[in-house]
mmCIF file with all atom_site columns, all heavy atoms in Angstrom:
data_model
loop_
_atom_site.group_PDB
_atom_site.id
_atom_site.type_symbol
_atom_site.label_atom_id
_atom_site.label_alt_id
_atom_site.label_comp_id
_atom_site.label_asym_id
_atom_site.label_entity_id
_atom_site.label_seq_id
_atom_site.pdbx_PDB_ins_code
_atom_site.Cartn_x
_atom_site.Cartn_y
_atom_site.Cartn_z
_atom_site.occupancy
_atom_site.B_iso_or_equiv
_atom_site.pdbx_formal_charge
_atom_site.auth_seq_id
_atom_site.auth_comp_id
_atom_site.auth_asym_id
_atom_site.auth_atom_id
_atom_site.pdbx_PDB_model_num
ATOM 1  N N   . ALA A 1 83 ? 128.102 -236.033 0.602  1.00 90.00 ? 1114 ALA A N   1
ATOM 2  C CA  . ALA A 1 83 ? 127.245 -235.267 1.527  1.00 90.00 ? 1114 ALA A CA  1
ATOM 3  C C   . ALA A 1 83 ? 127.273 -235.906 2.931  1.00 90.00 ? 1114 ALA A C   1
ATOM 4  O O   . ALA A 1 83 ? 127.334 -235.143 3.929  1.00 90.00 ? 1114 ALA A O   1
ATOM 5  C CB  . ALA A 1 83 ? 125.801 -235.278 1.055  1.00 90.00 ? 1114 ALA A CB  1
ATOM 6  N N   . PHE A 1 84 ? 127.285 -237.186 3.021  1.00 87.00 ? 1115 PHE A N   1
ATOM 7  C CA  . PHE A 1 84 ? 127.367 -237.872 4.386  1.00 87.00 ? 1115 PHE A CA  1
ATOM 8  C C   . PHE A 1 84 ? 128.684 -237.489 5.044  1.00 87.00 ? 1115 PHE A C   1
ATOM 9  O O   . PHE A 1 84 ? 128.694 -237.224 6.262  1.00 87.00 ? 1115 PHE A O   1
ATOM 10 C CB  . PHE A 1 84 ? 127.174 -239.338 4.247  1.00 87.00 ? 1115 PHE A CB  1
ATOM 11 C CG  . PHE A 1 84 ? 127.228 -240.030 5.599  1.00 87.00 ? 1115 PHE A CG  1
ATOM 12 C CD1 . PHE A 1 84 ? 126.090 -239.964 6.455  1.00 87.00 ? 1115 PHE A CD1 1
ATOM 13 C CD2 . PHE A 1 84 ? 128.352 -240.671 6.032  1.00 87.00 ? 1115 PHE A CD2 1
ATOM 14 C CE1 . PHE A 1 84 ? 126.140 -240.537 7.650  1.00 87.00 ? 1115 PHE A CE1 1
ATOM 15 C CE2 . PHE A 1 84 ? 128.359 -241.243 7.286  1.00 87.00 ? 1115 PHE A CE2 1
ATOM 16 C CZ  . PHE A 1 84 ? 127.271 -241.189 8.105  1.00 87.00 ? 1115 PHE A CZ  1
ATOM 17 N N   . GLU A 1 85 ? 129.790 -237.559 4.296  1.00 87.00 ? 1116 GLU A N   1
ATOM 18 C CA  . GLU A 1 85 ? 131.112 -237.207 4.893  1.00 87.00 ? 1116 GLU A CA  1
ATOM 19 C C   . GLU A 1 85 ? 131.126 -235.766 5.392  1.00 87.00 ? 1116 GLU A C   1
ATOM 20 O O   . GLU A 1 85 ? 131.705 -235.448 6.440  1.00 87.00 ? 1116 GLU A O   1
ATOM 21 C CB  . GLU A 1 85 ? 132.185 -237.475 3.874  1.00 87.00 ? 1116 GLU A CB  1
ATOM 22 C CG  . GLU A 1 85 ? 132.372 -238.962 3.621  1.00 87.00 ? 1116 GLU A CG  1
ATOM 23 C CD  . GLU A 1 85 ? 133.190 -239.234 2.364  1.00 87.00 ? 1116 GLU A CD  1
ATOM 24 O OE1 . GLU A 1 85 ? 133.580 -238.262 1.632  1.00 87.00 ? 1116 GLU A OE1 1
ATOM 25 O OE2 . GLU A 1 85 ? 133.500 -240.428 2.149  1.00 87.00 ? 1116 GLU A OE2 1
ATOM 26 N N   . LYS A 1 86 ? 130.484 -234.848 4.608  1.00 89.00 ? 1117 LYS A N   1
ATOM 27 C CA  . LYS A 1 86 ? 130.447 -233.451 5.072  1.00 89.00 ? 1117 LYS A CA  1
ATOM 28 C C   . LYS A 1 86 ? 129.607 -233.331 6.316  1.00 89.00 ? 1117 LYS A C   1
ATOM 29 O O   . LYS A 1 86 ? 129.950 -232.532 7.227  1.00 89.00 ? 1117 LYS A O   1
ATOM 30 C CB  . LYS A 1 86 ? 129.921 -232.510 3.967  1.00 89.00 ? 1117 LYS A CB  1
ATOM 31 C CG  . LYS A 1 86 ? 130.715 -232.402 2.675  1.00 89.00 ? 1117 LYS A CG  1
ATOM 32 C CD  . LYS A 1 86 ? 132.189 -232.372 2.905  1.00 89.00 ? 1117 LYS A CD  1
ATOM 33 C CE  . LYS A 1 86 ? 132.919 -233.332 2.060  1.00 89.00 ? 1117 LYS A CE  1
ATOM 34 N NZ  . LYS A 1 86 ? 132.948 -234.714 2.323  1.00 89.00 ? 1117 LYS A NZ  1
ATOM 35 N N   . HIS A 1 87 ? 128.557 -234.077 6.378  1.00 91.00 ? 1118 HIS A N   1
ATOM 36 C CA  . HIS A 1 87 ? 127.715 -234.050 7.586  1.00 91.00 ? 1118 HIS A CA  1
ATOM 37 C C   . HIS A 1 87 ? 128.487 -234.514 8.805  1.00 91.00 ? 1118 HIS A C   1
ATOM 38 O O   . HIS A 1 87 ? 128.388 -233.892 9.889  1.00 91.00 ? 1118 HIS A O   1
ATOM 39 C CB  . HIS A 1 87 ? 126.469 -234.972 7.394  1.00 91.00 ? 1118 HIS A CB  1
ATOM 40 C CG  . HIS A 1 87 ? 125.720 -235.176 8.676  1.00 91.00 ? 1118 HIS A CG  1
ATOM 41 N ND1 . HIS A 1 87 ? 125.910 -236.300 9.455  1.00 91.00 ? 1118 HIS A ND1 1
ATOM 42 C CD2 . HIS A 1 87 ? 124.747 -234.473 9.272  1.00 91.00 ? 1118 HIS A CD2 1
ATOM 43 C CE1 . HIS A 1 87 ? 125.153 -236.198 10.515 1.00 91.00 ? 1118 HIS A CE1 1
ATOM 44 N NE2 . HIS A 1 87 ? 124.426 -235.118 10.417 1.00 91.00 ? 1118 HIS A NE2 1
ATOM 45 N N   . SER A 1 88 ? 129.310 -235.549 8.574  1.00 87.00 ? 1119 SER A N   1
ATOM 46 C CA  . SER A 1 88 ? 130.153 -236.004 9.714  1.00 87.00 ? 1119 SER A CA  1
ATOM 47 C C   . SER A 1 88 ? 131.095 -234.931 10.223 1.00 87.00 ? 1119 SER A C   1
ATOM 48 O O   . SER A 1 88 ? 131.295 -234.839 11.394 1.00 87.00 ? 1119 SER A O   1
ATOM 49 C CB  . SER A 1 88 ? 130.963 -237.217 9.278  1.00 87.00 ? 1119 SER A CB  1
ATOM 50 O OG  . SER A 1 88 ? 130.070 -238.282 8.919  1.00 87.00 ? 1119 SER A OG  1
ATOM 51 N N   . LEU A 1 89 ? 131.687 -234.170 9.281  1.00 90.00 ? 1120 LEU A N   1
ATOM 52 C CA  . LEU A 1 89 ? 132.576 -233.084 9.684  1.00 90.00 ? 1120 LEU A CA  1
ATOM 53 C C   . LEU A 1 89 ? 131.805 -232.036 10.502 1.00 90.00 ? 1120 LEU A C   1
ATOM 54 O O   . LEU A 1 89 ? 132.258 -231.550 11.525 1.00 90.00 ? 1120 LEU A O   1
ATOM 55 C CB  . LEU A 1 89 ? 133.232 -232.450 8.464  1.00 90.00 ? 1120 LEU A CB  1
ATOM 56 C CG  . LEU A 1 89 ? 134.315 -233.285 7.754  1.00 90.00 ? 1120 LEU A CG  1
ATOM 57 C CD1 . LEU A 1 89 ? 134.756 -232.620 6.448  1.00 90.00 ? 1120 LEU A CD1 1
ATOM 58 C CD2 . LEU A 1 89 ? 135.498 -233.561 8.659  1.00 90.00 ? 1120 LEU A CD2 1
ATOM 59 N N   . LEU A 1 90 ? 130.615 -231.694 10.006 1.00 94.00 ? 1121 LEU A N   1
ATOM 60 C CA  . LEU A 1 90 ? 129.799 -230.657 10.709 1.00 94.00 ? 1121 LEU A CA  1
ATOM 61 C C   . LEU A 1 90 ? 129.353 -231.193 12.101 1.00 94.00 ? 1121 LEU A C   1
ATOM 62 O O   . LEU A 1 90 ? 129.425 -230.440 13.080 1.00 94.00 ? 1121 LEU A O   1
ATOM 63 C CB  . LEU A 1 90 ? 128.539 -230.318 9.905  1.00 94.00 ? 1121 LEU A CB  1
ATOM 64 C CG  . LEU A 1 90 ? 128.787 -229.430 8.709  1.00 94.00 ? 1121 LEU A CG  1
ATOM 65 C CD1 . LEU A 1 90 ? 127.439 -229.242 7.944  1.00 94.00 ? 1121 LEU A CD1 1
ATOM 66 C CD2 . LEU A 1 90 ? 129.339 -228.078 9.122  1.00 94.00 ? 1121 LEU A CD2 1
ATOM 67 N N   . LYS A 1 91 ? 129.011 -232.439 12.146 1.00 93.00 ? 1122 LYS A N   1
ATOM 68 C CA  . LYS A 1 91 ? 128.513 -233.024 13.413 1.00 93.00 ? 1122 LYS A CA  1
ATOM 69 C C   . LYS A 1 91 ? 129.654 -232.991 14.431 1.00 93.00 ? 1122 LYS A C   1
ATOM 70 O O   . LYS A 1 91 ? 129.396 -232.806 15.632 1.00 93.00 ? 1122 LYS A O   1
ATOM 71 C CB  . LYS A 1 91 ? 128.094 -234.498 13.151 1.00 93.00 ? 1122 LYS A CB  1
ATOM 72 C CG  . LYS A 1 91 ? 127.565 -235.219 14.365 1.00 93.00 ? 1122 LYS A CG  1
ATOM 73 C CD  . LYS A 1 91 ? 127.136 -236.625 13.963 1.00 93.00 ? 1122 LYS A CD  1
ATOM 74 C CE  . LYS A 1 91 ? 126.865 -237.444 15.127 1.00 93.00 ? 1122 LYS A CE  1
ATOM 75 N NZ  . LYS A 1 91 ? 126.557 -238.835 14.794 1.00 93.00 ? 1122 LYS A NZ  1
#
Side-chain angles (χ1 to χ4, degrees):
F1115 181 77
E1116 290 165 355
K1117 295 323 130 282
H1118 170 266
S1119 296
L1120 289 172
L1121 284 176
K1122 182 179 169 186

